[in-house]
Amino acid sequence: TLRDEGKLRYVAACNFDLEHLIPMVDAGVPIVSNQVQYSLLDRRPENGMLQYAKANGIRLATFGTVAGGLLSDAWLGVEPPSREQLHTVSQRMYFTPLSRWSGGDWELFQTLLMTLRAIADKHDSTIANVASAWVLRQLGPEGGWVILGVRDTRHLKEHSALLSVKVDDDDEAALRAVLDQGHPPEGCVWSHERGRA
Protein backbone atom coordinates (compact mmCIF):
# COMPACT_ATOMS: atom_id res chain seq x y z
CA THR A 1 0.00 0.00 0.00
CA LEU A 2 1.02 3.61 -0.31
CA ARG A 3 1.38 3.78 3.47
CA ASP A 4 3.63 0.71 3.55
CA GLU A 5 5.76 2.26 0.79
CA GLY A 6 6.20 5.43 2.85
CA LYS A 7 4.32 7.56 0.32
CA LEU A 8 1.33 8.20 2.54
CA ARG A 9 1.49 9.03 6.22
CA TYR A 10 -2.03 10.13 7.17
CA VAL A 11 -5.51 9.90 5.72
CA ALA A 12 -8.16 12.53 6.35
CA ALA A 13 -11.81 12.55 5.40
CA CYS A 14 -14.17 15.37 4.50
CA ASN A 15 -17.90 15.26 5.33
CA PHE A 16 -17.84 11.50 5.89
CA ASP A 17 -20.92 10.43 7.80
CA LEU A 18 -20.79 7.39 10.09
CA GLU A 19 -22.19 5.18 7.33
CA HIS A 20 -19.05 5.86 5.28
CA LEU A 21 -16.49 6.43 8.04
CA ILE A 22 -17.01 3.27 10.10
CA PRO A 23 -16.35 0.81 7.23
CA MET A 24 -13.16 2.69 6.34
CA VAL A 25 -11.88 2.53 9.92
CA ASP A 26 -12.96 -1.11 10.26
CA ALA A 27 -11.00 -1.89 7.08
CA GLY A 28 -7.87 -0.48 8.71
CA VAL A 29 -7.68 2.85 6.90
CA PRO A 30 -5.72 5.12 9.30
CA ILE A 31 -8.09 8.11 9.25
CA VAL A 32 -6.80 10.80 11.58
CA SER A 33 -9.35 13.55 10.93
CA ASN A 34 -12.73 14.24 9.40
CA GLN A 35 -13.70 17.74 8.27
CA VAL A 36 -17.33 18.40 9.25
CA GLN A 37 -19.73 21.27 9.69
CA TYR A 38 -20.36 21.95 13.40
CA SER A 39 -21.83 24.97 15.13
CA LEU A 40 -24.47 26.01 17.61
CA LEU A 41 -26.87 26.06 14.65
CA ASP A 42 -25.77 22.74 13.12
CA ARG A 43 -25.10 20.18 15.82
CA ARG A 44 -25.38 17.06 13.66
CA PRO A 45 -21.94 15.81 14.80
CA GLU A 46 -23.59 15.25 18.20
CA ASN A 47 -25.72 12.49 16.60
CA GLY A 48 -22.90 9.98 16.91
CA MET A 49 -19.96 11.43 14.96
CA LEU A 50 -18.44 13.31 17.89
CA GLN A 51 -18.56 10.26 20.15
CA TYR A 52 -17.28 7.87 17.47
CA ALA A 53 -14.42 10.19 16.51
CA LYS A 54 -13.30 10.59 20.13
CA ALA A 55 -13.48 6.84 20.74
CA ASN A 56 -11.36 6.15 17.64
CA GLY A 57 -8.78 8.95 17.90
CA ILE A 58 -10.18 10.82 14.89
CA ARG A 59 -9.95 14.58 15.24
CA LEU A 60 -12.74 16.68 13.78
CA ALA A 61 -11.75 19.70 11.70
CA THR A 62 -14.88 21.79 12.05
CA PHE A 63 -16.04 24.46 9.66
CA GLY A 64 -19.05 26.74 9.80
CA THR A 65 -18.56 27.42 13.53
CA VAL A 66 -19.69 31.03 13.12
CA ALA A 67 -22.18 30.17 10.37
CA GLY A 68 -20.72 32.49 7.76
CA GLY A 69 -20.82 35.35 10.26
CA LEU A 70 -24.45 34.84 11.31
CA LEU A 71 -23.17 33.92 14.78
CA SER A 72 -21.65 37.35 15.33
CA ASP A 73 -22.42 40.71 16.87
CA ALA A 74 -23.40 42.02 13.43
CA TRP A 75 -26.71 40.11 13.52
CA LEU A 76 -27.72 40.98 17.09
CA GLY A 77 -30.80 43.18 17.27
CA VAL A 78 -31.51 43.31 13.54
CA GLU A 79 -34.62 42.35 11.62
CA PRO A 80 -34.77 39.05 9.71
CA PRO A 81 -32.80 39.42 6.48
CA SER A 82 -34.07 39.07 2.97
CA ARG A 83 -32.08 36.82 0.66
CA GLU A 84 -30.44 39.94 -0.81
CA GLN A 85 -29.22 40.93 2.67
CA LEU A 86 -27.33 37.65 3.00
CA HIS A 87 -24.26 39.07 1.29
CA THR A 88 -22.07 35.99 0.98
CA VAL A 89 -22.51 32.45 -0.26
CA SER A 90 -21.61 31.32 3.27
CA GLN A 91 -24.39 33.36 4.85
CA ARG A 92 -26.91 31.97 2.40
CA MET A 93 -25.65 28.43 3.01
CA TYR A 94 -25.67 28.65 6.82
CA PHE A 95 -29.08 30.33 6.90
CA THR A 96 -30.49 26.86 6.15
CA PRO A 97 -29.31 25.21 9.41
CA LEU A 98 -30.39 28.37 11.26
CA SER A 99 -33.88 27.95 9.82
CA ARG A 100 -33.92 24.19 10.55
CA TRP A 101 -32.98 24.76 14.19
CA SER A 102 -35.20 27.81 14.80
CA GLY A 103 -38.13 26.68 12.68
CA GLY A 104 -38.01 30.15 11.14
CA ASP A 105 -38.39 31.84 14.55
CA TRP A 106 -36.08 34.87 14.23
CA GLU A 107 -36.75 35.85 17.86
CA LEU A 108 -35.37 32.50 19.01
CA PHE A 109 -32.21 33.21 17.02
CA GLN A 110 -32.04 36.65 18.63
CA THR A 111 -32.34 34.98 22.05
CA LEU A 112 -29.37 32.78 21.16
CA LEU A 113 -27.37 35.84 20.08
CA MET A 114 -28.31 37.70 23.28
CA THR A 115 -27.19 34.72 25.34
CA LEU A 116 -23.92 34.59 23.41
CA ARG A 117 -23.48 38.34 23.92
CA ALA A 118 -23.93 37.97 27.71
CA ILE A 119 -21.33 35.20 27.75
CA ALA A 120 -19.03 37.28 25.54
CA ASP A 121 -19.37 40.21 27.98
CA LYS A 122 -18.44 37.90 30.86
CA HIS A 123 -15.29 36.79 29.00
CA ASP A 124 -14.49 40.18 27.41
CA SER A 125 -14.93 38.67 23.97
CA THR A 126 -17.19 38.54 20.91
CA ILE A 127 -20.19 36.45 19.94
CA ALA A 128 -18.15 34.78 17.18
CA ASN A 129 -15.37 33.79 19.56
CA VAL A 130 -17.81 32.40 22.12
CA ALA A 131 -19.53 30.38 19.36
CA SER A 132 -16.14 28.99 18.30
CA ALA A 133 -15.07 28.36 21.90
CA TRP A 134 -18.29 26.42 22.44
CA VAL A 135 -17.38 24.08 19.55
CA LEU A 136 -13.85 23.66 20.94
CA ARG A 137 -15.34 22.72 24.32
CA GLN A 138 -17.47 20.03 22.69
CA LEU A 139 -14.43 18.66 20.85
CA GLY A 140 -12.27 18.55 23.97
CA PRO A 141 -8.51 19.03 24.14
CA GLU A 142 -7.66 16.21 21.70
CA GLY A 143 -10.85 16.17 19.63
CA GLY A 144 -10.00 18.60 16.86
CA TRP A 145 -10.07 22.23 15.88
CA VAL A 146 -12.14 24.94 14.23
CA ILE A 147 -11.48 26.28 10.75
CA LEU A 148 -12.04 30.03 10.63
CA GLY A 149 -12.37 31.88 7.36
CA VAL A 150 -10.23 34.99 7.10
CA ARG A 151 -11.04 37.13 4.08
CA ASP A 152 -8.79 39.99 5.18
CA THR A 153 -6.95 41.30 8.24
CA ARG A 154 -10.04 42.76 9.99
CA HIS A 155 -10.64 39.63 12.06
CA LEU A 156 -7.04 38.66 12.90
CA LYS A 157 -7.02 40.29 16.34
CA GLU A 158 -10.39 38.73 17.19
CA HIS A 159 -9.32 35.28 15.98
CA SER A 160 -6.06 35.55 17.92
CA ALA A 161 -8.04 36.12 21.13
CA LEU A 162 -10.14 32.97 20.63
CA LEU A 163 -7.86 30.67 22.59
CA SER A 164 -8.27 32.80 25.72
CA VAL A 165 -12.06 32.25 25.73
CA LYS A 166 -13.12 29.24 27.82
CA VAL A 167 -16.82 28.41 27.85
CA ASP A 168 -17.59 27.19 31.39
CA ASP A 169 -20.36 24.99 32.79
CA ASP A 170 -22.69 27.95 33.44
CA ASP A 171 -22.17 29.21 29.87
CA GLU A 172 -22.85 25.72 28.52
CA ALA A 173 -26.06 25.45 30.54
CA ALA A 174 -27.29 28.85 29.35
CA LEU A 175 -26.60 27.98 25.71
CA ARG A 176 -28.18 24.51 25.95
CA ALA A 177 -31.31 26.06 27.51
CA VAL A 178 -31.74 28.20 24.38
CA LEU A 179 -30.74 25.43 21.96
CA ASP A 180 -33.32 23.12 23.53
CA GLN A 181 -36.06 25.58 22.52
CA GLY A 182 -35.33 24.87 18.86
CA HIS A 183 -35.44 21.69 16.81
CA PRO A 184 -32.82 19.05 17.64
CA PRO A 185 -30.32 18.18 14.94
CA GLU A 186 -31.48 15.49 12.53
CA GLY A 187 -29.28 12.99 10.76
CA CYS A 188 -25.53 12.62 10.64
CA VAL A 189 -23.08 15.06 9.12
CA TRP A 190 -23.93 16.03 5.56
CA SER A 191 -27.21 14.04 5.65
CA HIS A 192 -29.32 17.02 4.54
CA GLU A 193 -26.89 17.76 1.74
CA ARG A 194 -27.13 14.12 0.62
CA GLY A 195 -30.93 14.30 0.75
CA ARG A 196 -31.19 11.77 3.60
CA ALA A 197 -32.73 13.83 6.40
Side-chain angles (χ1 to χ4, degrees), residues 18-172:
L18 289 172
E19 179 183 339
H20 294 90
L21 186 63
I22 291 171
M24 297 286 284
V25 172
D26 288 351
V29 177
I31 296 177
V32 297
S33 71
N34 187 15
Q35 182 175 314
V36 299
Q37 185 173 312
Y38 189 21
S39 73
L40 286 158
L41 301 176
D42 186 353
R43 295 174 289 127
R44 289 178 288 172
E46 294 176 7
N47 290 343
M49 178 61 70
L50 187 58
Q51 297 81 358
Y52 180 81
K54 285 180 179 181
N56 289 279
I58 299 169
R59 300 179 82 190
L60 297 181
T62 61
F63 64 93
T65 54
V66 297
L70 293 171
L71 290 171
S72 72
D73 289 284
W75 291 93
L76 179 61
V78 301
E79 293 296 315
S82 66
R83 181 154 175 83
E84 293 75 33
Q85 291 170 308
L86 298 171
H87 297 292
T88 67
V89 171
S90 292
Q91 287 177 349
R92 290 187 292 276
M93 180 174 84
Y94 294 118
F95 198 79
T96 299
L98 162 59
S99 298
R100 271 196 309 265
W101 166 72
S102 70
D105 183 351
W106 188 254
E107 290 307 312
L108 179 56
F109 178 57
Q110 288 298 306
T111 300
L112 177 60
L113 291 179
M114 287 185 280
T115 304
L116 285 164
R117 181 68 258 158
I119 295 167
D121 288 344
K122 173 181 157 182
H123 295 287
D124 191 29
S125 190
T126 64
I127 287 175
N129 272 358
V130 171
S132 296
W134 179 85
V135 170
L136 289 171
R137 175 185 166 102
Q138 309 316 304
L139 295 173
E142 299 299 321
W145 56 91
V146 297
I147 300 169
L148 299 173
V150 181
R151 286 183 174 76
D152 53 48
T153 59
R154 288 179 297 164
H155 299 291
L156 286 178
K157 184 177 178 183
E158 178 182 0
H159 290 339
S160 297
L162 169 60
L163 293 178
S164 67
V165 180
K166 303 293 182 215
V167 171
D168 62 31
D169 291 344
D170 291 337
D171 304 334
E172 177 79 23

